Structure formats: C-alpha cells, structure tokens
Amino acid sequence: MTIHYPNGTKYQPQATQHSTHAHASLVKHGGRGMTLEQEINESNQYYLAHDIAVIHKKPTPIQIVKVDYPKRSAAVIREAYFRQASTTDYNGIYRGRYIDFDAKETKETTRFPLDNFHQHQVEHMRSCLKQGGICFGLIKFATLDQLFLLKATDLIKYWDAQDNADGRKSIPMSAFKTSGIPIKYSLNPIIAYLDAVDQLI
C-alpha cells in the first residue's frame, strides 16, 4: 500500500541501522517478542483497568485513495495519504495532569540519533509544555535492553543545539545516565513508566 503525506510526498520508512518508531523492530525482553509499542499499550490497559490513568495511543488519520476488491468479502487498500503530520504517539490524563509522549527505539548503544524525531513532533511538545502539560520521550536502547524516560525539555535542548557549529546530531548515552529516568520491566504493568512520571510532577 502506498501512503502519502498531506503535501503529496510519498511516505518512505527509514531503512537505517536504528528504527524510527517503537513498532519498527521486535523487543526480545523476557522472550515475549513484543514491540515497545505493544508493551506500552498493555501497560496503559493495566493503568486504565486499575483507575490509575487514562492514556491512549493516538490514531493516525489517513485518507484512502485506492481500494481493490480481490474478493467480495475482502478489500485491499492500495494507496492512501496521511491527512496531517502526526504529533506524538500517546496522550491522556494522570493525577489531573495532561500527559503527552512519544516512544522511540534504537539499536545504537552509545547514542540516540535525533533524526528519530521530526520537527513537528518537537514543536508539538514545546506547545504542550507551554500549556503546563507533562511531555517526554520513552527511549529504548534495544540492543542494551535499557529503557529511559527523557524529559521533553532535555530533548528540546539537544534538538535546538544540533544546528549550532558544535552541535551534535545525537544524544549521548551519558545524558540518559545523568538526566534520564531509567525504567525497569515488571509484571504488572510491563513498563511502569508512570513511576518515572511521578518524578516529574
């Protein structure tokens, strides 16, 4: 299926050494074979079922252009457009506060490439922060099986600095060790990321 952005350009998933989205590669933690996105979704279901928080993955609106009907009972989408640029992956309410975050994964072991994010995502986080929202990234170093919460303010600092003469195009692992909040896997929920959010409130 061909998908296009609102400006008409064709969507091309990046085939680089690091994955750009949580669902791009499988996480082998504990033999579950789940993606980071699936783990977050299951954690959110746990939080909802136990009246802890209401956080959902945002749907990505698409405009269907071409559909084939190989069988009367089945339709195959052949071409579609993103109606608008996506913002972040998740949002909701926790302890009376608006939560907004994105989940990213990389196979890198010493740095997190900033090109995993897009300008419109960073600007969305910036706008949410101005309104008092709690914004962050859940960053998974898949090879190391390490997960961190990185505050949006720290992400924005590196994002804004990358165009400077001495700016970097990535966030070093040392920054995650000093400024990030490590998140451990558990049974229920799988990813207790709201424990890390408590440190931001």
Side-chain angles (χ1 to χ4, degrees):
M1 177 177 70
T2 304
I3 298 179
H4 299 268
Y5 285 108
N7 64 5
T9 58
K10 186 176 178 182
Y11 168 70
Q12 294 283 359
Q14 292 184 353
T16 59
Q17 60 181 344
H18 57 275
S19 63
T20 59
H21 259 286
H23 50 71
S25 64
L26 289 177
V27 176
K28 296 182 176 63
H29 178 82
R32 288 190 294 268
M34 297 173 68
T35 64
L36 177 58
E37 180 180 295
Q38 289 171 327
E39 292 173 335
I40 293 171
N41 291 343
E42 280 204 12
S43 300
N44 287 342
Q45 289 174 5
Y46 174 88
Y47 288 138
L48 181 63
H50 291 81
D51 294 323
I52 296 170
V54 179
I55 300 171
H56 295 287
K57 184 169 181 4
K58 301 176 188 175
T60 303
I62 61 169
Q63 175 69 47
I64 298 172
V65 176
K66 184 178 179 183
V67 181
D68 287 346
Y69 296 91
K71 297 180 182 178
R72 293 188 68 178
S73 61
V76 178
I77 298 172
R78 295 295 182 189
E79 186 174 357
Y81 289 83
F82 289 115
R83 286 183 178 172
Q84 60 191 36
S86 62
T87 53
T88 47
D89 289 337
Y90 296 90
N91 70 343
I93 300 293
Y94 173 57
R95 292 176 56 183
R97 300 289 299 275
Y98 176 74
I99 304 288
D100 197 296
F101 68 95
D102 208 282
K104 303 289 186 183
E105 210 173 332
T106 181
K107 293 179 181 177
E108 297 284 349
T109 57
T110 60
R111 63 190 182 90
F112 175 77
L114 284 167
D115 63 5
N116 278 284
F117 279 93
H118 300 284
Q119 182 71 44
H120 60 267
Q121 293 177 315
V122 175
E123 293 308 319
H124 172 75
M125 286 187 173
R126 207 188 303 265
S127 296
C128 290
L129 287 172
K130 287 180 181 177
Q131 300 301 321
I134 297 173
C135 300
F136 54 90
L138 289 183
I139 311 298
K140 171 114 182 163
F141 289 85
T143 304
L144 302 175
D145 201 25
Q146 293 183 18
L147 180 64
F148 295 90
L149 181 150
L150 184 69
K151 295 180 292 186
T153 50
D154 291 327
L155 169 64
I156 291 169
K157 177 183 72 174
Y158 280 97
W159 182 270
D160 290 344
Q162 68 180 319
D163 293 327
N164 296 340
D166 58 346
R168 335 178 22 125
K169 302 296 184 184
S170 63
I171 304 174
M173 172 59 88
S174 58
F176 288 91
K177 297 288 189 182
T178 57
S179 302
I181 303 173
I183 299 172
K184 301 294 185 184
Y185 280 88
S186 61
L187 184 60
N188 283 311
I190 295 173
I191 298 175
Y193 69 89
L194 289 183
D195 290 349
V197 173
D198 285 338
Q199 299 182 44
L200 306 182
I201 297 178

